[in-house]
Amino acid sequence: MLFRLLLLLALCGAGSAAMVVSVSLRGSWRIRSGNGSLELPAEVPGCVHSALFHQRLIQDPYYRFNNLNYRWIALDNWTYIKKFKIPFDMSKWRKVNLVFEGIDTVTAVLLNNVPVGETDNMFRSYSFDITHVVQAVNILEVHFQSPVIYADQRSKVHTHYSVPPNCPPRVQDGECHVNFIRKAQCSFSWDWGPSFPTQGIWKDVRIEAYNICHLNYFTFTPIYDNNIQEWNLEIESSFDVSSSKPVLGQAIIAIPELKIQQTNSVELHHGERIVKLFVKIDKSVTIETWWPHGHGNQTGYNMTVLFKLDGGLSFEKSAKVYFRTVELIEEPIKGSRGLSFYFKINGLPIFLKGSNWIPADSFQDRVTSALLRLLLQSVVDANMNALRVWGGGIYEQDEFYELCDELGIMVWQDFMFACALYPTDQDFMDSVRAEVAYQVRRLKSHPSIITWSGNNENEAALVLNWYDIQSSHLSTYIDDYVTLYVKNIRRIVFEGDQTRPFITSSPTNGAKSTAEGWLSENPYDPNYGDIHFYDYVGDCWNWKIFPKARFVSEYGYQSWPSFSTLEKVSSKEDWSYESKFAHHRQHFTDGNYKMLHQAELHFKLPQSADQLRKFKDTIYLTQVMQAQCVKTETEFYRRSRSEIVYGEGHTMGALYWQLNDIWQAPSWSSLEYGGRWKMLHYFARHFFAPLLPVGFENEDVFFIYGVSDLHSDHKVRAHTWSSLEPVCSETTKPFVMKAGESALLYDKPVAELLRGCTNCTRQSCVVSFYLSTDRELLSPTNYHFLSSPKEAKGLQKANITATISQQGDTFVFHLKTSAVAPFVWLDVGSIPGRFSDNGFLMTEKTRTVFFYPWKPTSESELERSFHVTSLADIY
């Protein structure tokens, strides 16, 4: 059977002899199991699991225990097959290449039964010369080797010493030796995700034919010359020249908005040739720089580069050019040992507010443009300005970075090495070098990427001896670490891109780690670099357990996703916190217990005799606990930006773990699988607000700090649990807050505060506060509990009702309550969308909340699905 082809006549010249032809091989293929017992249609881009699911040969891989039931798929060796015609006369083309933009992972490629190439790295493209093999009618076969078996084989041939860890913790139900294969490390399992080691052609594949030359890649870098305060643009293009004669022509660069029209002479000789072009931008031209979200516009300029070559051959590339500078500042701080660690964008110190990004699905063909936009729009909607693309997943698709450019999301880009040591044999290093060079070329034009980072937690793993390496063998692993991340990755990064910093690891002591031979004695030193911090035993309401660090790039607490998310992948017998499913879905050791332990410190645990009600109440309470814990911790980091206390402080980044989910399971995320907002994400919208009052206690004194870049007044109010009317209020005198700082605004002993409020005790009252001018509210209303809610006196079950109306594409929920209600949670079941606020403290009789649907819905559908929960409802 012959399959249809998508024929693209790309970059055409004057005649057929001059043009480049690109034939897409996307679309319909067939796949076959190792023993031939299964053969079925498959889509490219895609993977074997998706093909089996679409043909209804398997259930949803995420349903119940299917990550165990379908382990056989990853253990088999699959073959992708495509039979196709070439729609042009092959004799007229001097060079024909087969190009894979991404192939997952270990394969042998045969065209017409002739081996034409092999692959072993998911994170790079491959181009194979098929000039003497391609025919009018062709059969292309891609023979995949099981990634699990390949990784095991590679570990066994590495006989001179082991490279730990061998296997993930048993609770993860994962596969072993993932550090021996250049594939998404989390695909063999993680503490928040399943083991689905995929096989497939996961990006574009095509055939390219040409006679004279071909443009392999095109990239560019805006560079700011600080000495003469002038912007320049470096453009780099790679050509494969098949002509034996020199190819002459011109390169015409146009950026109309900057009044740039520049022509350069080009001379290309046989072989692989790099053309570098340099554009000086006149100082008299005003350039608007790219700024992170919340700090300015994301201005970009349209550029075209046209190569007009001999014989009528032309290549044209269009791109958006953004101008911005980035510096990582590590310098002494008065009153503190150590060094600062913060980023300047366009010369301005920026506090990084955000989270950590993991792959949005185990099966990348399910990650649509719409899903990416939904997740990244949710980032900026929650007042974030930064994401760390974590090193155990993938280098994201082009559209991810384009959206980050557009939305103003700064990206801390890890290279894909995580929580492991790695081999440094010749084959492995050759593969890594090609991967790094390819990714730097592909990504460096994006202004959103502000730093490269060599790995996730591998400096800490080695120095703190996570893998029980004997001290006599330690030098071998240190040599491997420096070889991989410094002598190779770092060197290749700086060869390709000198416009942004490179950090060897995260966490790291930065300049101190460098000075100590790239491995610091304590990578978690709060006075240097960035740190990761987790504490599930200490009381998260006690801010004193948190490190007053320079930059916190991971921290967090787990929660369960909503029942409507879990319901899709479970059955009735699973709907209990003690069920086999609940334990199976939890991949973090004792994770379910740790959530209840933290919740029980301040809340009563659900006790309903109805199993389903108790399960839903427990889910709700884990989200309350997570949101409150991360709120307390983040507010501590934000208020620490401008102060040094006992030699520590000047915190300039808070990236909680983690933003999104890879499947429906308990995790640290604030966005559930598919994008639904947990309570934490609604809280993040407040605790990452550009103007924020932060309340806390120390030695029975209540303090309020302001984190702001605005001029404002500030109000304090107190409420009793039993009354919807404030029992007292207090307003400060007008004050001015300096831009980009945190400052103490208010302090008063709690006893004195309570004396001024009739009949208030710690147990009967809650404090709320906000920043305002005389005329308008400028910050979210924040609150401070004077005691644990489980000790609250006068807290009543609130009768909360909603009247729903529609305004255009938005729905308005007019809420009424009979009592003060903490952690009010509005739920519309499986209807996709988000509220303007949720999980809030309701201290007034009425409140209006908006619902923004992600798909068309109606008032009646929302009314049928609507359910509201507040804290007293679960007692």
Side-chain angles (χ1 to χ4, degrees), residues 9-70:
L9 296 181
L11 312 172
C12 293
S16 62
M19 63 187 176
V20 174
V21 176
S22 179
V23 180
S24 174
L25 299 183
R26 290 173 69 104
S28 299
W29 288 55
R30 294 191 70 79
I31 61 171
R32 185 175 61 228
S33 61
N35 64 8
S37 60
L38 275 176
E39 185 167 335
L40 58 142
E43 285 294 309
V44 169
C47 69
V48 171
H49 288 82
S50 294
L52 291 166
F53 176 63
H54 291 318
Q55 294 302 311
R56 300 184 180 180
L57 295 172
I58 62 173
Q59 295 175 306
D60 180 351
Y62 284 171
Y63 183 70
R64 300 193 77 210
F65 306 96
N66 281 344
N67 57 313
L68 299 181
N69 298 335
Y70 298 153

Side-chain angles (χ1 to χ4, degrees), residues 584-597:
H584 169 75
R585 219 67 175 186
Q586 174 59 268
H587 283 191
F588 178 49
T589 303
D590 297 327
N592 289 347
Y593 163 76
K594 288 170 180 171
M595 278 185 273
L596 294 185
H597 163 76

Side-chain angles (χ1 to χ4, degrees), residues 352-491:
L352 268 64
K353 306 180 297 184
S355 189
N356 286 260
W357 173 274
I358 66 168
D361 206 296
S362 294
F363 313 108
Q364 280 296 306
D365 52 290
R366 303 207 297 205
V367 181
T368 62
S369 297
L371 177 60
L372 277 180
R373 181 168 282 280
L374 176 68
L375 294 172
L376 293 175
Q377 185 64 49
S378 293
V379 170
V380 295
D381 285 349
N383 287 310
M384 300 183 194
N385 61 23
L387 286 176
R388 174 172 170 250
V389 176
W390 169 77
I394 62 170
Y395 307 93
E396 278 296 333
Q397 54 186 279
D398 292 341
E399 190 168 3
F400 173 91
Y401 300 99
E402 289 163 6
L403 284 167
C404 288
D405 295 344
E406 174 191 322
L407 295 170
I409 301 170
M410 293 177 284
V411 174
W412 172 312
Q413 179 66 55
D414 280 2
F415 286 93
M416 294 300 122
F417 302 85
C419 297
L421 306 183
Y422 287 86
T424 55
D425 57 84
Q426 187 68 41
D427 289 346
F428 189 86
M429 293 307 301
D430 287 346
S431 184
V432 167
R433 281 190 286 266
E435 165 192 331
V436 173
Y438 170 74
Q439 293 297 343
V440 170
R441 273 199 314 269
R442 181 173 79 95
L443 299 177
K444 69 178 183 178
S445 300
H446 291 284
S448 53
I449 298 175
I450 64 165
T451 189
W452 306 104
S453 179
N455 65 72
N456 173 74
E457 298 186 341
N458 295 346
E459 179 181 344
L462 187 53
V463 171
L464 302 179
N465 204 13
W466 291 1
Y467 310 121
D468 299 319
I469 296 167
Q470 293 180 14
S471 57
S472 58
H473 297 159
L474 194 58
S475 63
T476 298
Y477 296 98
I478 291 173
D479 288 346
D480 281 355
Y481 181 93
V482 174
T483 295
L484 178 57
Y485 302 113
V486 181
K487 294 181 180 178
N488 282 277
I489 294 177
R490 182 176 181 271
R491 177 182 60 79

Side-chain angles (χ1 to χ4, degrees), residues 125-326:
S125 65
Y126 288 89
S127 181
F128 303 122
D129 187 343
I130 57 170
T131 308
H132 304 296
V133 182
V134 68
Q135 301 171 8
V137 179
N138 300 273
I139 298 178
L140 177 58
E141 294 179 287
V142 183
H143 294 271
F144 286 81
Q145 183 178 354
S146 160
V148 177
I149 294 171
Y150 172 84
D152 182 63
Q153 289 173 348
R154 296 296 298 180
S155 73
K156 285 176 179 173
V157 299
H158 196 280
T159 54
H160 33 308
Y161 57 93
S162 66
V163 185
N166 291 328
C167 300
R170 187 170 295 179
V171 70
Q172 293 181 19
D173 297 320
E175 303 292 355
C176 301
H177 305 298
V178 70
N179 48 342
F180 278 88
I181 184 170
R182 292 312 298 145
K183 177 177 173 61
Q185 300 291 276
C186 65
S187 67
F188 276 41
S189 80
W190 217 264
D191 55 11
W192 37 254
S195 174
F196 283 112
T198 46
Q199 299 176 52
I201 302 169
W202 74 294
K203 292 190 177 183
D204 257 343
V205 55
R206 64 184 179 275
I207 288 172
E208 294 175 338
Y210 50 98
N211 280 327
I212 299 172
C213 70
H214 179 252
L215 179 61
N216 293 328
Y217 70 78
F218 163 86
T219 187
F220 56 90
T221 310
I223 298 172
Y224 187 69
D225 189 328
N226 212 31
N227 294 323
I228 57 175
Q229 298 185 328
E230 183 178 83
W231 281 103
N232 302 307
L233 189 62
E234 288 187 357
I235 300 169
E236 181 178 297
S237 303
S238 169
F239 289 88
D240 179 26
V241 183
S242 54
S243 170
S244 56
K245 298 178 182 178
V247 181
L248 305 179
Q250 294 179 324
I252 303 164
I253 305 158
I255 310 177
E257 292 168 278
L258 298 181
K259 301 175 182 176
I260 291 171
Q261 180 84 16
Q262 179 175 311
T263 301
N264 296 68
S265 297
V266 173
E267 184 173 334
L268 301 175
H269 295 270
H270 182 77
E272 296 281 335
R273 296 296 165 188
I274 303 293
V275 174
K276 292 187 177 182
L277 305 171
F278 189 77
V279 180
K280 291 187 73 172
I281 299 174
D282 196 302
K283 278 186 181 182
S284 64
V285 176
T286 301
I287 290 180
E288 291 189 31
T289 49
W290 180 95
W291 286 97
H293 175 68
H295 291 275
N297 296 325
Q298 293 74 50
T299 304
Y301 298 92
N302 294 318
M303 174 179 72
T304 58
V305 179
L306 174 63
F307 292 94
K308 296 179 73 172
L309 305 175
D310 286 347
L313 182 62
S314 65
F315 300 91
E316 184 170 7
K317 283 290 184 180
S318 298
K320 184 83 81 172
V321 181
Y322 299 88
F323 297 88
R324 70 100 187 88
T325 63
V326 58

Side-chain angles (χ1 to χ4, degrees), residues 533 535 538-549 557 598 602 628-640 643 645-646 648 651 694-705 750 784-785:
F533 179 80
D535 181 353
D539 181 358
C540 78
W541 287 32
N542 175 16
W543 56 268
K544 294 180 181 179
I545 72 171
F546 305 128
K548 213 168 179 72
Y557 294 84
Q598 193 62 241
H602 297 284
Q628 190 67 20
C629 286
V630 178
K631 171 186 186 290
T632 305
E633 188 167 357
T634 306
E635 289 181 346
F636 170 73
Y637 297 140
R638 288 200 70 191
R639 69 177 167 86
S640 298
E643 65 181 12
V645 179
Y646 302 122
E648 295 183 339
T651 307
V694 176
F696 64 98
E697 286 185 52
N698 189 25
E699 306 295 333
D700 289 324
V701 178
F702 177 57
F703 297 86
I704 297 177
Y705 271 53
V750 174
H784 175 71
F785 295 115

